[in-house]
Amino acid sequence: MTNNIRVRFAPSPTGYLHIGGVRTALFNWLFARHNNGVFVLRIEDTDQTRSTDESIQAIIEGMKWLGLDWDEGPYRQTERMHIYKEHIEKLLQEDKAYHCYCTPEELEERRKQAFAEKRIPKYDGRCRELKNPVPGKQPVVRFKMPLQGETVVDDHVKGRIVFENTQLDDLIIMRSDGWPTYNFCVVVDDATMNITHVIRGDDHLNNTPRQMQLYNAFGYKSPEFAHLPMILGHDKTRLSKRHGATAVTAYRDMGYLPEALLNYLARLGWSFKDQEVFSREELIEKFTLEHVGKSAAVFNPEKLLWLNSHYITSMDQKEIISRLRPYLISDGLIKEDTVVDESWMGKVIASLKERCRTLIEFTSAAHYFFSDDIETDPEAAKKFLIPGNRGVLEDVLKGLETIPSFSETDIDGLFKEIMGNRGIKMGQVAQPVRVALTGRTVSPGIFEVIDILGKDKVLRRLRVAIDKIPVP
């Protein structure tokens, strides 16, 4: 492997940081960390019509949440305009680029004609040898591609790919408004930042031979390339919003753990034997480009949920409390300055840990432990908070008011006494009590719920429920 490895993640700030972009960032980050290299963050913001500062902040926020720390940057292309202009001027002076005065309308007409004649719709080069400017027209600058020969890409993922130079047209490197284009800027940036390996999605593969010719024109050494297969939805089409959330911050807001998302994305197109669960340290240790798959990866939300659930159940109590806190605050269950009793919170977590796959599910499931403002499921109320159960709830209330202790043993004894007196089964006592205390028909064990809620909350909620039930 090359010494002094330098890689980069170079998103365009035209929207959110999406799943495909995160995987690209992750693979670059892992490659750098595995090889003790440098990971550069570069913002490609030359698209002035679509780039926004909000998107830049969203990218940085997403990267920080995932723990993908960068060693250099974030650089912004808009702050490097003088470098691009110097390089364009160099190409013009060396007759490796030229001014093109063809209008968009003329180019479109020729494109249609090429299709009609079953020719490749590439620029026909009519301004290539033009000696004098055309009055009244603002030109673009085009790069002179070689007219013969081949451009060979030895890709770490795709293998050896040969492009015929006759198929490559003279690409525009500066628009008529004076702004350089993507294909040009990326070459200048990667060359001047000494990037050794370009790891990116295979939707950029067709740009690669053009970019390699630009490196040659400047006398720069091309970096090594690794083009990652795309991520597909369950229907085998390119991953998009219709397949679910694609923005990384949306997964944060849905209560996913960054460790789980990174683990899942690492396995989306890369593998190491049959291992599914990796710590961050293991990913760094084991990641190599040789194990990146050649086929497109399919995004499976259920697999991600399973992995997230695994991380939640494996996490220690103190860490879960820390991760849950922002969601509890957001849901209004605690305040910013609330000091949560860790011992009590540990009971809440232990009761729900196996049932919840995300931190949002955790917060929702824990709602009745924190707040008396519970919303009772109408179907549950219709079935269990009925006149026929009022007497059962009154017996439970009276028994709990006078019970020697609020231990599980004493509460179990009370429930069995009521069952014996009334000739009913445990479910006929537990379910009305569960709905009265939680508003739901499903919860952790009823004795566990009673223990966590504590005597005051339990008695209060039983009284409220009984008051709402008509006397038989």
Side-chain angles (χ1 to χ4, degrees), residues 264-387:
Y264 179 73
L265 290 176
R267 288 285 290 108
L268 207 58
W270 172 84
S271 62
F272 183 83
K273 299 180 180 179
D274 295 326
Q275 188 171 342
E276 291 287 347
V277 180
F278 296 83
S279 68
R280 185 176 294 245
E281 292 71 28
E282 285 179 307
L283 286 173
I284 292 171
E285 177 194 343
K286 301 180 187 307
F287 184 84
T288 63
L289 293 175
E290 286 72 30
H291 288 99
V292 174
K294 292 178 170 58
S295 303
V298 177
F299 189 85
N300 183 344
E302 285 302 314
K303 183 73 173 289
L304 174 57
L305 262 179
W306 171 83
L307 202 54
N308 202 64
S309 175
H310 170 81
Y311 273 87
I312 285 177
T313 55
S314 305
M315 192 171 282
D316 69 64
Q317 174 185 308
K318 194 163 187 176
E319 186 63 27
I320 293 181
I321 293 173
S322 172
R323 301 292 185 96
L324 273 174
R325 188 175 180 85
Y327 297 89
L328 296 172
I329 293 171
S330 177
D331 220 38
L333 298 180
I334 63 173
K335 292 182 168 38
E336 290 274 1
D337 58 354
T338 300
V339 178
V340 178
D341 182 332
E342 286 196 12
S343 174
W344 176 81
M345 188 67 185
K347 291 182 180 181
V348 174
I349 288 171
S351 72
L352 299 174
K353 203 173 187 181
E354 301 294 332
R355 300 166 175 267
C356 301
R357 299 173 298 176
T358 70
L359 296 177
I360 286 291
E361 286 184 7
F362 232 121
T363 304
S364 175
H367 189 280
Y368 55 79
F369 286 128
F370 286 88
S371 173
D372 283 337
D373 184 21
I374 58 174
E375 187 176 334
T376 303
D377 176 62
E379 290 300 315
K382 189 176 179 182
K383 187 174 181 180
F384 294 105
L385 300 185
I386 55 177

